[in-house]
Amino acid sequence: MIVKDETVKLDGLQPIMRHAMRWADWVWKDLGQECVITAGAESVYPEFLPNGEGHPKAFQLIHSAGSLHPMGLALDFRTRYFDDGGDEAADKLEFHLNHTSSYLDSGKFEVIQHKTHIHVEFEPNE
């Protein structure tokens, strides 16, 4: 498993998300791909001055309002290299995380497939 680049923050990720990381890594390997985390617990990117120097002048939101990423309860995994767009990866990941959720006192994992990635979040109150 690798992290896309330095913009992806895993600091602040809640321990429950290790289940998603472990299963995603296993599923991607099973499908012959390296698992790449494309989003973690980050919430904003700095917008630098036009010349790229100095302190950030503002911050740009990365995820939509209500996103669980800033709370450390969501991860995104790359799928653009799968021939089926990630359908099989999403199905397998959802199966394993549903099974994991069945052992928890509360909360559940949700797997949401997008065009270029799979979003996994943990809803603590579900």
Side-chain angles (χ1 to χ4, degrees):
M1 176 175 290
I2 60 174
V3 176
K4 178 185 81 170
D5 59 31
E6 69 281 350
T7 63
V8 177
K9 304 298 180 207
L10 299 182
D11 294 346
L13 202 62
Q14 297 299 315
I16 193 74
M17 295 308 294
R18 290 180 187 162
H19 293 291
M21 292 172 71
R22 177 175 54 98
W23 282 117
D25 191 41
W26 184 86
V27 166
W28 268 240
K29 283 180 182 172
D30 186 54
L31 296 174
Q33 293 292 342
E34 179 79 32
C35 185
V36 179
I37 300 173
T38 60
E42 62 280 343
S43 59
V44 294
Y45 286 135
E47 286 186 20
F48 289 93
L49 298 172
N51 63 5
E53 296 178 3
H55 295 287
K57 63 177 184 169
F59 291 92
Q60 172 188 359
L61 288 175
I62 297 170
H63 304 287
S64 59
S67 170
L68 295 177
H69 281 280
M71 292 179 276
L73 291 170
L75 289 163
D76 291 346
F77 301 100
R78 179 173 291 158
T79 59
R80 67 180 180 208
Y81 38 61
F82 289 122
D83 291 337
D84 67 355
D87 291 344
E88 187 176 4
D91 289 345
K92 287 183 174 193
L93 187 57
E94 186 171 38
F95 171 82
H96 291 296
L97 290 175
N98 282 342
H99 183 73
T100 300
S101 292
S102 71
Y103 289 96
L104 302 174
D105 290 334
S106 65
K108 72 173 192 167
F109 286 97
E110 291 189 31
V111 176
I112 303 162
Q113 189 173 359
H114 295 280
K115 186 176 180 180
T116 60
H117 68 278
I118 292 174
H119 172 85
V120 177
E121 61 186 32
F122 182 76
E123 292 279 352
N125 298 324
E126 294 286 318

